[in-house]
Amino acid sequence: MHDQVLNSPSAGADPQHGAPVLTVSGVGKTYVEPVLADVSLGLHAGQVLALTGENGAGKSTLSKIIGGLVEPTAGTMTLAGRPYAPHSRTDAESHGMRMVMQELNLLPTLSVAENLFLNRLPRRALGWIDRKRLADDARHAMAQVGLDAIDPDTLVGSLGIGHQQMVEIARNLIGDCRVLILDEPTAMLTAREVDLLFEQIARLKARGVALVYISHRLEELRCIAEQAAVLRDGRLVHAGPMDALTSDQLVTLMVGREIGERIDLGERRIGEVALKVEGMTRQPVVRDVSFHVCAGEIFGVSGLIGAGRTELMRLIYGADRADTGTISIARDGGPLRPVGVQSPSDAVKNGIALITEDRKGEGLLLSRPIAANVSLGNVGAVARHGIVDTRREAALAQRQIDAMRIRTSGPAQAVSELSGGNQQKVVIGRWLARDCSLLLFDEPTRGIDVGAKFDIYGLMGALAREGRALVVVSSDLRELMLICDRIGVMSAGRMTGVFDRATWTQDALLAAAFAGYAKREAMLHEPLAPDAKAPDNTLENDGSREQ
């Protein structure tokens, strides 16, 4: 049953928070088909509303309507009791509405300081930029989100995605902020950065800022949100106090069915070695890494932020050139043979696929339809005499839509109109349409809801049963422990340990993740005393705070 204050914008004032600062009444949005219908909510100052639901449920669409990026096709809004209908993001920001979306809104060729104050650069006489004041202001803004160690003059494009996300958050906390929308803000953050973000949220609440917090990490929602609103298939199915719901109840509301905590990947036969990597090096990010993966095996790669996990995948795929190292592959039951992988095209020819962590920047053509994106790596299967047959292309895309359970109106729908999770499914579907024996998954479930995650896990199990070799990089250690046969741990560019189910524990995996940094510190400084603390690094996973 819906909570009256949240479900009805015309309801009376909350005795604790007063009248709603933002109301949403009967809001809907239709593209080819309705993606949002008759949503009504109220948000109070100093309150955090957890907005959750499966991918494609309408969370991002609702957020973009509130933030001025999308105009609704139905409904009205009020802000502080006055009609509110922003025509752009800039218009919304002028009213104190700020958004931190999954898609980063940064300019990589500008510095951190310039990105933070792009629309309000401090000026001196004759219009020159006051660089000293800009740097000082940037340091103050960066300190609030734990970026003290980064030079404000650093180019944003040289930062990792996690740090770029923190810059985006810092940018939106500058100036007057009445309502702040955070869309999956912790998907790319370490546990330490998450703690810093939560501290900032507490300060914003104390200032009377109203927050909408979108996340699939239910433990986070329970930590910071007073109210919960659940969307399913574009409709509001529940709104009420967060403490009245258990995590299991939230999941059931999101997906419309109960989901267990364990997964059965089915009977699998782990065969001979399908991939062997020896001495892979690209200084300073990857150093002398060797490991192997068998046919039918799911091999996980864990580690700290900046440990070299993504960089290792890019070297295997040929996206970056290695200094030294060899790759050997066995295909179709044959023996291991060294292969030259100097480019992604070489990797694809040798049956290697990479599902990148940056699906928007590197994995998709957002303005193009699903059919074009799926056929991108499968032109030979849809072309006749060198010309793409649109009927074949659409049929191929429809098979992947059905297999991946992609929520869409059809193969002709633009990928940009899909939710983040469904976009990720399009990327995976492209490679599944091609006969690749080795699949490299880099953060495959980042930004994907709990229901879709289990769909992906089941898909990985099916691929492994077919005899394909899978390498999975993930920031969620519990995820790797759930689905993998073995886990290799990267630390300071090296693989410091490989564990199987019989030998791994969370403590052992954490210790291996810190090992490379401790060794590097010992080489740079005097040996640590026996009771000295480990370096201040944190694993990028939900369980990393248990140290």
Side-chain angles (χ1 to χ4, degrees), residues 360-522:
K360 293 183 182 296
E362 299 176 350
L364 293 166
L365 300 175
L366 293 175
S367 63
R368 301 292 295 154
I370 295 172
N373 276 274
V374 170
S375 67
L376 193 61
N378 304 277
V379 175
V382 298
R384 283 184 175 180
H385 309 296
I387 300 175
V388 172
D389 185 323
T390 55
R391 287 179 297 180
R392 286 187 179 184
E393 185 180 58
L396 176 67
Q398 189 61 55
R399 288 197 295 272
Q400 298 311 312
I401 288 170
D402 295 339
M404 300 293 297
R405 295 171 60 188
I406 298 172
R407 294 189 179 188
T408 174
S409 60
Q413 186 172 6
V415 170
S416 61
E417 296 177 359
L418 302 179
S419 67
N422 285 303
Q423 289 178 353
Q424 182 74 323
K425 288 182 178 182
V426 172
V427 177
I428 297 173
R430 174 195 303 151
W431 291 115
L432 298 190
R434 190 180 183 100
D435 185 23
C436 292
S437 58
L438 173 62
L439 293 154
L440 310 176
F441 289 87
D442 194 357
E443 300 287 1
T445 63
R446 174 177 287 165
I448 292 179
D449 64 76
V450 63
K453 279 186 179 183
F454 276 76
D455 289 342
I456 298 297
Y457 299 157
L459 173 64
M460 290 178 176
L463 293 170
R465 290 195 298 273
E466 293 174 2
R468 307 196 203 201
L470 279 65
V471 181
V472 182
V473 172
S474 178
S475 298
D476 188 340
L477 186 57
R478 292 177 298 179
E479 176 174 78
L480 294 179
M481 295 173 73
L482 180 68
I483 65 173
C484 295
D485 301 295
R486 291 184 300 137
I487 298 175
V489 182
M490 294 287 291
S491 182
R494 299 182 183 275
M495 190 164 285
T496 54
V498 176
F499 302 81
D500 58 31
R501 285 188 171 275
T503 61
W504 76 43
T505 63
Q506 182 163 301
D507 288 343
L509 293 167
L510 284 166
F514 284 111
Y517 297 94
K519 182 177 180 180
R520 185 171 65 182
E521 289 294 317

Side-chain angles (χ1 to χ4, degrees), residues 39 52 56 91 115 140 158 192 208 235 239 241-242 261 268 314 368 379 384 483 490 506:
V39 174
T52 190
D91 186 14
N115 271 277
H140 176 72
S158 68
R192 177 177 177 272
R235 294 184 177 275
M242 174 61 78
E261 294 182 357
R268 289 180 291 125
R314 289 176 60 86
R368 301 292 295 154
V379 175
R384 283 184 175 180
I483 65 173
M490 294 287 291
Q506 182 163 301

Side-chain angles (χ1 to χ4, degrees), residues 518 521-529 532:
E521 289 294 317
M523 294 173 63
L524 294 175
H525 306 288
E526 294 182 3
L528 293 173

Side-chain angles (χ1 to χ4, degrees), residues 222-380:
R222 301 191 67 81
C223 282
I224 65 167
E226 293 88 8
Q227 300 287 337
V230 183
L231 293 174
R232 187 170 71 235
D233 298 326
R235 294 184 177 275
L236 184 69
V237 296
H238 178 88
M242 174 61 78
D243 58 13
L245 291 172
T246 66
S247 295
D248 288 343
Q249 289 172 329
L250 265 177
V251 171
T252 301
L253 285 166
M254 289 166 59
V255 303
R257 65 187 189 278
E258 292 187 1
I259 292 179
E261 294 182 357
R262 303 186 64 83
I263 183 169
D264 181 9
L265 297 181
E267 291 294 329
R268 289 180 291 125
R269 178 184 174 276
I270 296 180
E272 300 298 322
V273 175
L275 167 70
K276 188 173 185 181
V277 176
E278 297 178 283
M280 188 62 66
T281 299
R282 184 172 189 262
Q283 294 287 2
V285 291
V286 176
R287 298 182 288 169
D288 195 26
V289 172
S290 300
F291 68 99
H292 72 272
V293 186
C294 296
E297 181 181 25
I298 302 177
F299 183 88
V301 180
S302 183
L304 308 176
I305 186 171
R309 300 168 305 168
T310 293
E311 290 81 359
L312 176 61
M313 297 302 103
R314 289 176 60 86
L315 291 176
I316 296 172
Y317 188 63
D320 294 325
R321 186 69 61 88
D323 299 333
T324 59
T326 60
I327 298 172
S328 299
I329 293 176
R331 299 193 68 183
D332 303 323
L336 278 172
R337 298 182 183 278
V339 295
V341 181
Q342 305 297 321
S343 67
S345 62
D346 289 340
V348 174
K349 290 175 183 176
N350 284 287
I352 304 174
L354 172 64
I355 291 86
T356 175
E357 67 170 341
D358 184 6
R359 59 177 175 261
K360 293 183 182 296
E362 299 176 350
L364 293 166
L365 300 175
L366 293 175
S367 63
R368 301 292 295 154
I370 295 172
N373 276 274
V374 170
S375 67
L376 193 61
N378 304 277
V379 175

Side-chain angles (χ1 to χ4, degrees), residues 49-256:
L49 169 66
L51 181 61
T52 190
E54 286 193 280
N55 288 106
K59 306 183 302 297
S60 292
T61 300
L62 178 59
S63 301
K64 290 176 180 178
I65 288 172
I66 296 172
L69 276 71
V70 171
E71 291 190 8
T73 51
T76 60
M77 295 183 289
T78 66
L79 185 63
R82 297 185 177 184
Y84 172 66
H87 301 297
S88 65
R89 182 169 185 167
T90 301
D91 186 14
E93 289 183 347
S94 70
H95 288 85
M97 185 73 64
R98 301 300 179 90
M99 304 177 65
V100 178
M101 304 301 292
Q102 291 185 53
E103 303 88 354
L104 298 180
N105 189 35
L106 301 172
L107 298 175
T109 56
L110 297 183
S111 70
V112 173
E114 289 165 338
N115 271 277
L116 289 174
F117 294 94
L118 188 60
N119 296 324
R120 45 189 177 275
L121 294 170
R123 303 284 182 176
R124 295 186 299 173
L126 302 177
W128 293 100
I129 296 174
D130 188 336
R131 290 288 175 181
K132 183 179 184 304
R133 183 182 165 193
L134 176 62
D136 290 342
D137 291 346
R139 289 190 187 95
H140 176 72
M142 294 162 69
Q144 295 187 63
V145 293
L147 295 178
D148 314 60
I150 294 178
D151 187 334
D153 291 328
T154 303
L155 293 181
V156 162
S158 68
L159 300 177
I161 290 181
H163 283 146
Q164 288 185 28
Q165 180 79 356
M166 294 305 290
V167 172
E168 177 79 354
I169 292 170
R171 187 185 75 83
N172 282 279
L173 297 180
I174 297 170
D176 179 38
C177 180
R178 302 169 73 179
V179 176
L180 177 63
I181 301 171
L182 298 170
D183 190 355
E184 294 289 353
T186 63
M188 295 177 284
L189 304 185
T190 66
R192 177 177 177 272
E193 290 168 337
V194 171
D195 289 338
L196 290 169
L197 175 62
F198 285 3
E199 290 175 9
Q200 186 63 24
I201 287 174
R203 294 191 190 102
L204 291 168
K205 289 171 62 178
R207 282 168 40 189
V209 175
L211 295 103
V212 177
Y213 192 99
I214 303 172
S215 179
H216 298 123
R217 299 184 176 184
L218 303 186
E219 67 280 2
E220 291 184 1
L221 301 181
R222 301 191 67 81
C223 282
I224 65 167
E226 293 88 8
Q227 300 287 337
V230 183
L231 293 174
R232 187 170 71 235
D233 298 326
R235 294 184 177 275
L236 184 69
V237 296
H238 178 88
M242 174 61 78
D243 58 13
L245 291 172
T246 66
S247 295
D248 288 343
Q249 289 172 329
L250 265 177
V251 171
T252 301
L253 285 166
M254 289 166 59
V255 303

